[in-house]
Amino acid sequence: MSTTDTPPEAGRALPTGAVREDVRRTWWQRHGATTTIWATRTALLVVMLVLWQAASGRWIDDTFISRPSDIVDRLGTWWADGTLADNTWITVQEIVYGFLLGAAAGALAGYLLGASRFVYRVLDPFIMALYAIPKVALAPLFIVWIGIGMDMKVLLAAVTVFFLVFLNTAAAVREVDQGLVDAVRLMGGDRRQIALKVVLPSSMAGFLTGLKVSVPYALIGAVIGELVASNRGLGYLINDAAAQFDTAGVFATLVVLSLIAGALNILVGMLDRRVNRWKPLQK
């Protein structure tokens, strides 16, 4: 074959490794599944609200279930006079401070105690006994210790979050692959390197699970504290509305609490995706 018959590719090395192909997908192929899910959720919510509005006062006494229209009206009234914003801000602070304090303490205790099997086995029955105590039963004790201010609600939320984060984190630390630990030791790694390179990444999934599970419990702890003793916050609004047989006010407050819980779950989900690179690769 003459040189003029040589293909142009013959003089160049072929690429090795993975070949990246430009695959063009339509908008629906990329977002169709998510769009379908959200459309179904929206349709389900609309149907439920329509049935609720139709049933209230016609089939069921509206004293017990109120009406979506009355709930929206109550939210608008509270927003206009500042009641909603002021009390929501108080509860949000209690939830966030309690969640951060409880999560930090739970994670620290989980990593420290989970790394020592002997200490964990000694303290396990005491920890489970404290965990089994209904947190609402602690509210009167906290009132005696620190009064009925915001600190009491923050502490109650923190205690509720602490055990959930601690138990999940400690379990994840105890289940770290011992083979990875031994491999790092054979390569000359010290305890600090083992903790940072093996234990922390491997147990991150358990820690994040604890955060996700404890989000609604931080809200529950703060609201319980407000229900027990408070003159402000969303728990106070629930008490005040219930005392006046104001069902719309109770439901309006529950809607706000649901929105807060949803927002916190979204933030934890963002954190999960952010630290996802720490997780060990799955086979």
Side-chain angles (χ1 to χ4, degrees):
M1 180 181 294
S2 64
T3 55
T4 57
D5 296 331
T6 304
E9 292 82 0
R12 291 181 294 178
L14 295 176
T16 59
V19 179
R20 184 175 182 178
E21 296 183 5
D22 184 16
V23 179
R24 297 182 179 275
R25 298 189 300 166
T26 64
W27 184 91
W28 183 256
Q29 289 175 326
R30 287 182 282 115
H31 306 288
T34 302
T35 302
T36 302
I37 291 174
W38 277 103
T40 305
R41 289 172 178 172
T42 303
L44 179 60
L45 178 60
V46 170
V47 170
M48 291 175 60
L49 291 176
V50 170
L51 291 176
W52 184 359
Q53 182 73 25
S56 180
R58 181 177 303 175
W59 303 315
I60 305 175
D61 189 347
D62 58 0
T63 304
F64 299 105
I65 63 171
S66 186
R67 291 186 180 90
S69 57
D70 293 340
I71 296 171
V72 172
D73 181 66
R74 182 53 47 83
L75 287 171
T77 302
W78 280 352
W79 179 260
D81 63 16
T83 299
L84 185 62
D86 293 341
N87 289 280
T88 300
W89 176 238
I90 294 297
T91 302
V92 167
Q93 291 182 81
E94 296 166 355
I95 294 171
V96 172
Y97 293 154
F99 179 78
L100 294 177
L101 178 60
L108 181 60
Y111 281 113
L112 293 178
L113 296 183
S116 176
R117 296 184 180 274
F118 175 77
V119 175
Y120 188 88
R121 291 182 62 183
V122 170
L123 298 180
D124 182 61
F126 302 102
I127 295 173
M128 295 309 299
L130 293 174
Y131 175 59
I133 297 176
K135 303 307 176 285
V136 65
L138 298 175
L141 183 61
F142 291 165
I143 292 174
V144 173
W145 287 350
I146 56 179
I148 64 171
M150 182 184 292
D151 293 345
M152 186 270 286
K153 288 84 172 181
V154 171
L155 184 58
L156 193 60
V159 169
T160 307
V161 170
F162 169 83
F163 286 102
L164 295 172
V165 175
F166 166 77
L167 292 174
N168 281 277
T169 303
V173 171
R174 296 179 65 194
E175 293 174 1
V176 171
D177 189 353
Q178 189 61 36
L180 294 176
V181 176
D182 294 338
V184 174
R185 285 175 177 167
L186 287 174
M187 290 185 291
D190 54 20
R191 297 184 62 178
R192 178 177 174 275
Q193 292 174 323
I194 292 174
L196 294 179
K197 302 295 184 180
V198 179
V199 178
L200 183 61
S202 299
S203 60
M204 187 60 66
F207 168 66
L208 291 174
T209 299
L211 291 184
K212 291 179 182 178
V213 172
S214 62
V215 164
Y217 287 92
L219 186 149
I220 292 171
V223 173
I224 284 177
E226 293 175 347
L227 290 172
V228 172
S230 181
N231 57 2
R232 55 182 183 171
L234 295 178
Y236 163 74
L237 285 185
I238 292 177
N239 266 340
D240 185 62
Q244 302 177 45
F245 297 97
D246 180 11
T247 313
V250 174
F251 275 108
T253 310
L254 294 179
V255 168
V256 176
L257 289 173
S258 299
L259 294 176
I260 294 174
L264 291 175
N265 274 312
I266 291 174
L267 292 176
V268 174
M270 292 171 61
L271 176 63
D272 188 4
R273 291 189 293 271
R274 178 68 177 174
V275 302
N276 189 53
R277 63 181 184 273
W278 286 79
K279 296 181 182 179
L281 296 175
Q282 299 295 328
K283 295 182 180 179

